[in-house]
Amino acid sequence: MSSLQQPHQETDTFKAKSIMLKLENTEKRDALIAIERKYQAQWAQEKLFQVDAPSIEDVPFKSVPAAELRNRFPKFFGTMAYPYMNGSLHAGHSFTASKIEFTTGFARMQGKRALFPLGFHCTGLPIKACADKLVREVAMFGTEFEGYSEDAATEELPNPAPAQNQTRVDVTKFTAKKGKVAAKTVKSKYQFQIMLTLGIPRSEIHRFADPQYWLTYFPPLCERDLTNFGARIDWRRSFVTTDANPYYDAFIRWQMNRLKDLEKIRFGSRYTIYSPKDGQPCMDHDRSDGEGVGPQPYTAIKLKVLEWAPEAAKLIESKIPNGANVYFVAATLRPETMYGQTCCFVGPTIEYGVFKVSESEYYVITERAARNMAFQGVFSETGVYKKLVDIPGSSLIGTLVNAPLSVHHQGVRILPMETVKATKGTGVVTSVPSDSPDDYATVADLSKKADYYKIKKEWAELEIVPIIWTPTYGDLTAPAVVKLLKINSPKDIKPLAEAKDLAYKEGFYQGIMTIGEFKGDKVQDAKEKVKQVLIKSRDAFDYSEPENLVVSRSGDECVVALMDQWFLNYGENDPSWRDQALSWVENGLNTYTAETKNGFEGTIKWLNQWACARTYGLGSKLPFDPSFLVESLSDSTIYMAYYTIAHLLHKDIFGKEPGVAGIKASQMTDEVWDFVFARRELTSDVLKSQISKENLECMRREFEYWYPLDMRVSGKDLIPNHLTFFLYIHIALFPSEYWPRSIRANGHLMLNGEKMSKSTGNFLTLDDILKKYGADASRIALADAGDGVEDANFEETVANSSILRLYTLKEWCEEEVGRSDKLRKGPKDHFFDCLFENEMRSVVHEAKHHYENTMYKLALKSALYDFTSARDFYREATKAAGIEMHHDLVILYVELQALLLTPITPHWSDFIWLEVLKKPATIQNELFPSTPEADEGISAMREYIRATTSNITSAEAAQQKKKDKGKAAAFDPKKPKKLTIFAAKSYPVWQDKYIELMRESFDSVSLMVDDKDLNSKVAKMGEMKKAMPFVQNLKRRLQNGEKADVVFNRKLGFDEVEILKEMNTGLKKTTGCVSVEIIEVQDGGKSGIVISESGGESRVATNLPPMAESAIPGSPSLFFENVQ
């Protein structure tokens, strides 16, 4: 079943230059992978990640409320969006998986029962569409595609997908005309070639022509890869979606029945994105381009032709019956402004058509618009539009048309507008220069250059009448805004866009109608009223089209269709439901970031009815209308509840073998599901399923214990659909006690700083990553990749360097534990013992804080980088001091290091725990370490030592760099030298006034400083050069979290001179100095006391060098000099 592991075959056509990191020596990686495989097998054997709710034997059913049960036995239940089974998991999947995986690992260390299950999503169009392509390709080229050649015909065969009952597609009208993306799709690889790039042997590909084969092939690979990743997944609870699993199918049927009972699912005509080729709605997961795009509603205004322009008249002569009415149809978002029409625009370079609506009515529009209208009941036959003649836009200029509601009753002219787009609306644009800055700029330009545009000047000079009054711009908004922004031409694109925004917002939200039947009404109120007047008089009709380009996975450019369909009644049509969802986001749901919360609020406010059924693809049949299937975003909203009992229902992902409860799928009636999910109590309707009372209570216990879901992890791109639906349906079907508690949305994953792409070679599957770097090194790179909603970055260099880091750290732990009898024992009374133990405590608390906040990049920094840095400092400091590290601290370090990294590197940690430290049982069941709080004073000492040591080595390196460049240096670092350290006992008096200034400017809540005010005050004191570095240092200390009273009162939490004395021996060794002298400066740095190393009498030193004056408490100054 592991054919994806075989070498790629016959894919030379698709090879691209790779930017991937090449590995050479792999011995260390292979050693770590061997450890990982060992512990994965051990965990599986011990069933370590199989977790259950407290049994009804241990805690009798209903003996305690569910909430109390969860408090008594703390739990964590987290999930990620189950992956779609049309390929192997890639790096992006692993990034999302890592978030819930790290959280699950930490939850176990908090003493919680932690559940991370995973199913396999198979519902929808993609698998079926790909399988159907393979059916056609096998027919074209043979079972092993032996008939294929580069010169083979690439014309697309008709797609056999069935049409909806209420539409009939005229295929000949659509296959010849393709949008840009669709055209690319037609020319792209064959499906069998795509399968080759997945590593599937040519001889096996024909099997994928059966869509059910995908369901058997990819789920085991997904389980293999995540197991090799070290994921703490309870695989007993896995399943495939669709009716391939009868238990899950029953669950979906229950869900849809109950939503219909609650009137959350309704049937009716509505506009939806639709694929004529597939013959069904094209929802987000069915699209290769345009996810999140919905229908854009317009009012289509009919402008009747009164007199044709001469060129147009010749083109349509004899093509249209005498007496027939021809209309230019303009799509507008502002029907209330039609009173102000002065002309109508077309694009002079756009190709238009005259399309037959009926024997007596014809429309002039673009073919794209006609294709949309064909599915909205505009033409006589659904899906068919008949074009009588092609007419270039330039030939239409000068045509006289009647503009409904316009004050210019004699008619207005068709005029040219170069910015009209054939891809937006109908290609026909009404002109209202009183309120549209674009229109005003264009008619002004046409008037000035009438000869250039070959029009009559008066056509562009019809009176511009006021129609809307606004408080800011008066009753002619567009002219006022154009003048304000100094717009001189229709080519002033950027300022015109700004003008359009200003005019629209002012007019729509603040405007009052000054003309027509609804004079005096607010524009917001008048808009719909005017639209209805126009529709009633048959001067307009409703029209919709996709907001942007949408391409189905079958390569079809989608339209908007008006269809009778089943839909979920999200949004404004069920305001109570919508408001419940919005309230939960605002008051009950943890979204971790403001961006995620804002995303949900925005989506809930605009989201509207959603088609929940289709006729093509894989899935469960709609129980109340079996001619439809439940679409993929509607059967994946509450499956997390199914996880809670899946292991009781079936032993395999297809539900072929009943689970431990011995329940048949047919016994899972709607009433049983209601009971399991706490929607009803145990009644006769439930018991007649013949499921035993014990099994019913056991299922209910699993649900009541694991629910609510504690964390849902997914990409931010699912906020506009899946994640919002997930909230809506939970709110509709479950009591509020079981509504989701948190959603953690992450950004997309880049690879090596660039977008992942197979075509560029910058692409890795999870299997690729694990083979290349092993699990733990890959997990480190994923933790390091990022935590917010912004795009993250998996750096292969991080994964590669982590191999060496983990291996070296493993060897060090083995070596030090192995020679522990040689380490120092007895009291931990050395100065550096104190520092090390305190820093370990500090880092443990920092790591715990970051884990609790799911900030894994920061947790990794603390748990690995900072913790090993603390060890390195201790090791070097004791070595320089000529003493061994302390036995107890080394063992403590190794224990804590293994524990801190357990969520991120579980295999490495278990190896250290069991094979190095010889602990009796796996680290996976250990609690997160609990240590006393770090002593702030000792932490300050540690930072002082780090900063002082760094300053000393930097000063020495700077002089060596000067010498290397042939410049004069203050001393020669390679010759015998002496270091003098000047430590100040008190602060200079001149600094006091700046302390007070900083105290006044600092906000202790926000940790912010009013820089503008502060800098102004400092400048007035005339000491900028001296004062600003001091002030900036104070600011930095405050914003780094140092307590304000310590900074402002200028107290050191330690004896600086005593610390320098402790450092003395080590500094001599690290710098190679003959001697290190410490002078405690006095009198502003003019004199000082030389501190004796041996503890003998000190002496007074005078005439100190100038740098002694710059020493302040906590920041000593340094002086190197050569000695004989």
Side-chain angles (χ1 to χ4, degrees), residues 637-666:
T637 54
I638 58 167
Y639 64 87
M640 312 84 204
Y642 187 83
Y643 283 135
T644 64
I645 63 168
H647 63 303
L648 300 176
L649 297 178
H650 48 81
K651 291 183 179 179
D652 63 292
I653 61 175
F654 294 98
K656 293 179 180 178
E657 185 178 357
V660 293
I663 298 169
K664 297 177 182 178
S666 59

Side-chain angles (χ1 to χ4, degrees), residues 16-20 754-763:
K17 183 179 179 181
S18 176
I19 60 173
M20 311 302 289
E754 297 184 16
K755 183 179 179 181
M756 280 201 296
S757 169
K758 290 182 180 178
S759 64
T760 63
N762 193 47
F763 185 84

Side-chain angles (χ1 to χ4, degrees), residues 1043-1056:
K1043 291 186 176 179
D1045 63 333
V1046 173
V1047 175
F1048 292 141
N1049 296 330
R1050 299 202 279 185
K1051 296 175 182 176
L1052 288 181
F1054 52 86
D1055 187 321
E1056 184 174 4

Side-chain angles (χ1 to χ4, degrees), residues 245 285 299 409 419 447 495 523 641 650 719 738 753 813 824 886 914 984 1006 1045 1109:
N245 183 320
H285 282 185
T299 302
H409 304 297
T419 55
S447 177
V523 169
H650 48 81
I719 292 174
Y738 301 111
C813 292
R824 178 165 48 93
H886 197 282
L914 293 172
S1006 66
D1045 63 333
E1109 296 183 23

